[in-house]
């Protein structure tokens, strides 16, 4: 039997966040996959979704994303982060986004989740960043 290395998975601390943005730092340079899990995310304003932005030691990458999110009745896209549709004052978003390092500082994301008791969302995207990702920002689309 081949032993399972204990250093394959690094878990950052679960965060309960309020406000419009939250940063996770300290992502190891060896990370090949980042999974962001949402539960009960909502908006007090007119926002429609969340953005996940990748960052390097130079700061957060805020442009160059090719990202879209869809649901049964439509969808939307964004170029400032990986977009996940589904938050309003009356809808809460629960789901996950998986981001995979493809080499050469290229990252691909896919997501799925529920945005109400009867609607789901799904989508994905990609971005090329200028270095090694060591942080992730989660924020509302309009900030």
């Amino acid at each position: 039997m081949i032993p399972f290395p204990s250093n394959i998975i690094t878990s950052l601390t679960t965060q309960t966040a309020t406000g419009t943005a939250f940063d996770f730092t300290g992502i190891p340079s060896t990370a090949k996959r980042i999974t962001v899990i949402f539960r009960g995310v909502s908006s007090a304003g007119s926002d429609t979704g969340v953005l996940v932005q990748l960052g390097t030691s130079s700061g957060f990458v805020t442009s160059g994303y090719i990202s879209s999110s869809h649901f049964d009745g439509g969808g939307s896209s964004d170029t400032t982060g990986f977009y996940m549709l589904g938050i309003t004052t009356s809808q809460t978003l629960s789901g996950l986004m998986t981001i995979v390092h493809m080499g050469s500082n290229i990252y691909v994301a896919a997501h799925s989740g529920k945005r109400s008791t009867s609607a789901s969302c799904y989508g994905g995207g990609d971005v090329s960043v200028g270095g090694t990702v060591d942080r992730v920002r989660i924020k509302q689309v309009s900030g």
Side-chain angles (χ1 to χ4, degrees):
M1 183 163 82
I2 299 173
F4 188 78
S6 61
N7 64 348
I8 285 185
I9 296 176
T10 301
S11 178
L12 298 179
T13 305
T14 300
Q15 299 292 331
T16 300
T18 58
T20 57
F22 192 84
D23 296 347
F24 285 93
T25 59
I27 295 173
S29 61
T30 56
K32 300 297 182 201
R33 183 177 71 191
I34 300 166
T35 302
V36 181
I37 302 169
F38 301 95
R39 182 174 183 270
V41 178
S42 64
S43 172
S46 60
D47 238 313
T48 59
V50 295
L51 288 177
V52 176
Q53 295 174 324
L54 304 179
T56 68
S57 60
S58 300
F60 285 97
V61 177
T62 60
S63 63
Y65 294 82
I66 301 172
S67 177
S68 64
S69 188
H70 302 274
F71 67 101
D72 300 337
S76 191
S77 61
D78 201 285
T79 60
T80 63
F82 292 128
Y83 178 60
M84 191 166 180
L85 181 72
I87 62 171
T88 65
T89 55
S90 62
Q91 294 179 330
T92 60
L93 173 66
S94 293
L96 60 92
M97 179 180 290
T98 302
I99 303 164
V100 179
H101 181 213
M102 301 297 295
S104 300
N105 296 322
I106 296 171
Y107 289 80
V108 173
H111 70 269
S112 63
K114 69 104 182 152
R115 58 188 294 263
S116 70
T117 56
S118 61
S120 60
C121 63
Y122 54 90
D126 64 82
V127 66
S128 179
V129 298
T132 302
V133 168
D134 66 357
R135 63 196 77 193
V136 172
R137 173 172 285 159
I138 301 167
K139 62 178 275 188
Q140 294 181 355
V141 172
S142 64

